[in-house]
Amino acid sequence: MTVGNLSVEATASRSHSDLRKVGSHPDYWYPIAWSHELKPGRTFAGHFAGEPIVLVRPVEGDVFALEDRCAHRQVPLSKGTVDGCTVRCCYHGWRYDGSGQCVDVPYLGKGKLPNGVRSYPCFESNGIIFVWPGTAPAADPLAQIGHAAEPGYKSRRFGKIVRCHYTFMHENLMDMNHQFLHRRTTGKVTPRYLASRKGDGWMEVDYSFARPDQKPPLGETVIVGSLRGSARTARDLMTVRTDYPYQTLRMWTRDDKPVLSVWLGYTPVDAEQRRNRTFIVLSVRKPKIPGVLDLAWPVLAWFTDRVFAEDCEIVEMEQAAFDEQGADWNQEVFPPIRELRTLLRDCGNPR
Amino acid sequence: MTVGNLSVEATASRSHSDLRKVGSHPDYWYPIAWSHELKPGRTFAGHFAGEPIVLVRPVEGDVFALEDRCAHRQVPLSKGTVDGCTVRCCYHGWRYDGSGQCVDVPYLGKGKLPNGVRSYPCFESNGIIFVWPGTAPAADPLAQIGHAAEPGYKSRRFGKIVRCHYTFMHENLMDMNHQFLHRRTTGKVTPRYLASRKGDGWMEVDYSFARPDQKPPLGETVIVGSLRGSARTARDLMTVRTDYPYQTLRMWTRDDKPVLSVWLGYTPVDAEQRRNRTFIVLSVRKPKIPGVLDLAWPVLAWFTDRVFAEDCEIVEMEQAAFDEQGADWNQEVFPPIRELRTLLRDCGNPR
Amino acid sequence: MTVGNLSVEATASRSHSDLRKVGSHPDYWYPIAWSHELKPGRTFAGHFAGEPIVLVRPVEGDVFALEDRCAHRQVPLSKGTVDGCTVRCCYHGWRYDGSGQCVDVPYLGKGKLPNGVRSYPCFESNGIIFVWPGTAPAADPLAQIGHAAEPGYKSRRFGKIVRCHYTFMHENLMDMNHQFLHRRTTGKVTPRYLASRKGDGWMEVDYSFARPDQKPPLGETVIVGSLRGSARTARDLMTVRTDYPYQTLRMWTRDDKPVLSVWLGYTPVDAEQRRNRTFIVLSVRKPKIPGVLDLAWPVLAWFTDRVFAEDCEIVEMEQAAFDEQGADWNQEVFPPIRELRTLLRDCGNPR
């Protein structure tokens, strides 16, 4: 595929900031944990950009999120115990409620309680617990996570901590020319760039896919094949979208409903944001024949795990190169990726 | 337990120095190794605050201590061989006596011997080898290590390298409100602060202990139960003392002789003093019936190991929080611990 | 052995540069890989002083060497695939020829190809692939590697990444007084310094060896014994030479042809040059009776591996001492080593 108006100079950054040093903007909802990771009456130790965050799920009541350090001696509250709708530090037993207020020090008078800890707005939806790490008032909780809640779709949740800056994740997914990376897993695929659109805080790119000489692998057949019908179309259509700070990928074969819909969230873990926890919700449209998708699910899981592992390996190499070189030396030639880089820089956290 | 006159502001440090950056003062005797770690004719590689120190035990004669680097090419003398009352470097065979003087270079004329290495005052007592890392003339060797040498007591020696600043160890032991940490091991215990005293380079705090609703666990029964007699008193008494740079803990049930006496020494290992080697000598008064204590010893060992492991885990979390935050953010509300912090700051090594 | 005119002051460095911070001068040929490490149609990921270098062996044609980073997103080309006489990046499929020029971007017009990557002069000889990392025009490829190519010798190639600055390797080999280090492997050996010579970029030192009271170990007998003849001479002769940046060691028993000839190359791996990859070619003269040397080869391999392992352990301790002390505190008393240090400083890369 050839892009008409490519220019070969390296991207001149519009500002002086190095894209890999731009922080994720904290004034958004970020996924911190899968719901199943936090049992009733237990805590979960999460992070956003180096800030430790404890998630607490009372036996009865909603999940709440606090700074994961006791105000007293700074040890993690996540090591403590859940006591009704409060969490108690494991060391000297200081107790905090869901607003972060210290409500008990066992050896101290009630009128003299010390300052508490910070609390974070928090909600749980579609199997993910989100936290608002910023200082501004929270926006509404996300209405939907891809197609996870829609009837007619079956979803898979996966992901892991990837040792790279979140921007490498965005660029990886949006540049479909990287299909070469997956050639052993997906077979030869020829992506063709069709169009791109952008707006305030988002952009998206359309691609068509063709397989000139080969059959698709089993995993892909499972995902899209059964929905395509008997008359194979020449091209499948895909749209990759960055809706800051999330991404989606949708693929169509016939009608307006995507056959595949993927939602991705990237939560920076460490203060330098050289690691992110990637949360992926992959939703596949159920075919007409019931049970086919369930039967094929293990193959689909293997296939998507393998593609994700290949992506993780390459973006971690990009981060390693950045760490060695001390700066972003990328020489981007594909205009949509240049635009994406500008978008990520503009939406990010100036530091 | 409620302390009457607690104020809830964070400790205002009296000086500008961060307590976790105050070094152990070198003008004291510090434990470097257990006697059994240094066999006759062998060496032991120890450390004080980043300084490598080799202990040498000749087949005949007293242990001596030198800087653990050959003057020639700086490799550890502890890798060398013991040759009479000297140690010989493993590389080119340079030889040093107990004063650190170089007494032989095999390929060099006798009149032209190079400068030697530093030696350290050193003594061995009660199963511990102590070194004086400071520059001032040494004080007398310690007369006693807790009750280890007294008749009527049986002792246990244990400890390990703990990845935290030594001051966390002092604060941990002296603040008995941290019994909450050991609730699963010791059962519910209500400590009550009674009094504290202080003097030049030392302070101590008295506590009483009550078990309102429960039996003590087996390990504690073993330690104090057999000495208490049949008429159980309502309260046991405990005194925790910091006698810079050491600590002791003594517990009484009936008379003037403690039923339990613990001595603790903390030797900083690395130059930043973020690790310390903790040496513990725990002495238990023998009950009237002979053999009871020996029988119970394995239970006591398991119990004390477990309590120590819980303490190590929490102080290492405190150090980890310090490392992340870059400064000591402790918000202390218990007056004796505030006094202890001042004592440790005043006695430490200004850097 | 006593050296007559030794002075015992520490070496005063002639310049202000710390020898362990002097870089290997890049304007020489450096070994990067053994030939057998690079199969046809494959790549090899090497390094010189922090610069990643990919070696590429086309199925047909000569090995070539490029900067091991794709110009696009900086990921290693060594992860890619060999395509004729080009290498293709694994990520988006950019393709480079042996001169480093980018000859294809699959989704880009031919007239708009981006800049390529740096290429390095390269040659292969005697089982080693050499690269010229410097900027000046290359000198001729090395005519010979010790006695590896001479008839009448059998050679062994070994080595590994040693975690020390290359200068420790030179000093280790040239100071034969370090035979004390190998006492358990080689038995008691008394080296005697005889003479040294030097010139532009090189110096060499002669030693004699005597074994006053013992038989040599089996490994050494294998190497030199069968060539010595029945009348054992009192002394064997050895010459150690640094011919910047390489070293050789030759040993004679009877005539002009050395019975043992060792060639050593040290290639710095990381940017700080605290690790080097050591390449050793050890050539032994074949005795008159055919097959004896082949029979003895496993013993010789074991013996040389063990001596090398002892050397690696000690030089890594020297580097560890440097890392702790932050500077070179060596106190050298042996004049040839002082001269060697000056030579290495003068020939090195001023930074």
Side-chain angles (χ1 to χ4, degrees), chain B residues 176-315:
Chain B
M176 273 297 141
N177 299 305
H178 90 271
Q179 281 305 313
F180 184 73
L181 177 70
H182 303 302
R183 64 199 177 280
R184 288 190 195 92
T185 305
T186 64
K188 187 167 168 59
V189 171
T190 307
R192 174 179 275 275
Y193 167 75
L194 297 178
S196 69
R197 294 167 294 282
K198 62 182 172 180
D200 190 25
W202 65 268
M203 66 168 287
E204 60 186 19
V205 182
D206 298 333
Y207 294 93
S208 69
F209 274 81
R211 293 187 168 278
D213 45 42
Q214 273 176 276
K215 289 202 164 190
L218 185 55
E220 186 179 324
T221 304
V222 164
I223 298 177
V224 304
S226 59
L227 288 161
R228 200 191 316 252
S230 55
R232 188 175 171 187
T233 54
R235 296 232 165 88
D236 300 324
L237 294 180
M238 178 188 284
T239 299
V240 182
R241 178 180 172 102
T242 286
D243 207 348
Y244 192 87
Y246 319 112
Q247 275 195 311
T248 58
L249 178 155
R250 284 162 298 159
M251 190 182 272
W252 289 269
T253 53
R254 293 185 306 192
D255 55 25
D256 280 355
K257 283 192 143 186
V259 58
L260 175 71
S261 168
V262 188
W263 180 95
L264 304 100
Y266 311 112
T267 302
V269 174
D270 56 317
E272 292 201 313
Q273 307 203 14
R274 294 184 179 187
R275 284 180 294 144
N276 77 86
R277 186 166 183 198
T278 294
F279 292 79
I280 305 177
V281 182
L282 181 147
S283 303
V284 181
R285 195 168 152 194
K286 292 178 188 168
K288 286 169 190 168
I289 307 158
V292 166
L293 195 55
D294 296 335
L295 271 174
W297 208 245
V299 174
L300 178 137
W302 174 87
F303 179 77
T304 49
D305 279 350
R306 185 158 160 181
V307 168
F308 181 53
E310 289 167 349
D311 285 326
C312 289
E313 191 186 0
I314 199 78
V315 291

Side-chain angles (χ1 to χ4, degrees), chain A residues 3-226:
Chain A
V3 175
N5 59 344
L6 283 185
S7 136
V8 296
E9 305 91 64
T11 306
S13 57
R14 302 200 184 175
S15 72
H16 292 295
S17 59
D18 187 308
L19 181 58
R20 311 311 175 192
K21 294 175 183 168
V22 171
S24 281
H25 203 292
D27 285 336
Y28 290 91
W29 291 107
Y30 284 90
I32 301 295
W34 300 111
S35 292
H36 69 81
E37 293 178 303
L38 182 57
K39 306 278 182 236
R42 295 297 176 90
T43 62
F44 178 87
H47 283 90
F48 177 83
E51 289 179 39
I53 296 175
V54 58
L55 303 178
V56 182
R57 189 192 294 282
V59 174
E60 288 177 45
D62 287 339
V63 173
F64 61 88
L66 304 178
E67 185 186 349
D68 192 13
R69 292 182 193 113
C70 181
H72 180 209
R73 299 186 71 84
Q74 315 298 321
V75 296
L77 291 174
S78 52
K79 297 287 178 179
T81 54
V82 179
D83 196 349
C85 285
T86 66
V87 62
R88 187 182 280 279
C89 177
C90 71
Y91 199 175
H92 300 83
W94 292 28
R95 203 145 60 82
Y96 301 88
D97 68 14
S99 72
Q101 202 182 335
C102 182
V103 295
D104 184 38
V105 173
Y107 50 96
L108 202 68
K110 288 289 175 198
K112 302 174 172 178
L113 290 170
N115 294 327
V117 296
R118 180 177 174 192
S119 70
Y120 296 91
C122 179
F123 78 93
E124 187 169 11
S125 169
N126 284 285
I128 306 182
I129 301 166
F130 287 83
V131 157
W132 183 276
T135 51
D140 286 341
L142 303 191
Q144 54 184 21
I145 309 296
H147 287 68
E150 285 204 24
Y153 285 83
K154 181 177 170 77
S155 295
R156 174 165 195 252
R157 290 163 177 77
F158 63 108
K160 62 166 203 162
I161 289 179
V162 188
R163 292 186 300 276
C164 76
H165 196 254
Y166 63 96
T167 55
F168 290 115
M169 306 299 293
H170 281 268
E171 295 180 54
N172 169 272
L173 189 70
M174 191 157 283
D175 188 348
M176 272 296 140
N177 299 304
H178 90 271
Q179 281 305 315
F180 185 73
L181 178 70
H182 302 303
R183 63 198 177 279
R184 288 191 195 92
T185 304
T186 64
K188 187 168 169 59
V189 171
T190 308
R192 174 179 275 274
Y193 167 75
L194 298 178
S196 69
R197 293 168 295 282
K198 63 182 172 181
D200 190 27
W202 65 270
M203 66 170 285
E204 60 186 18
V205 182
D206 298 334
Y207 294 94
S208 68
F209 274 81
R211 294 187 168 277
D213 44 44
Q214 271 178 280
K215 288 203 164 187
L218 186 55
E220 188 180 323
T221 303
V222 164
I223 298 178
V224 302
S226 59

Side-chain angles (χ1 to χ4, degrees), chain C residues 1 98 110 115 129 162 183 196 226 235 270 274 322 324:
Chain C
M1 149 184 168
K110 288 289 175 199
N115 294 327
I129 301 167
V162 188
R183 64 200 177 279
S196 68
S226 59
R235 295 231 165 89
D270 56 317
R274 293 183 179 189
F322 173 88
E324 264 184 42

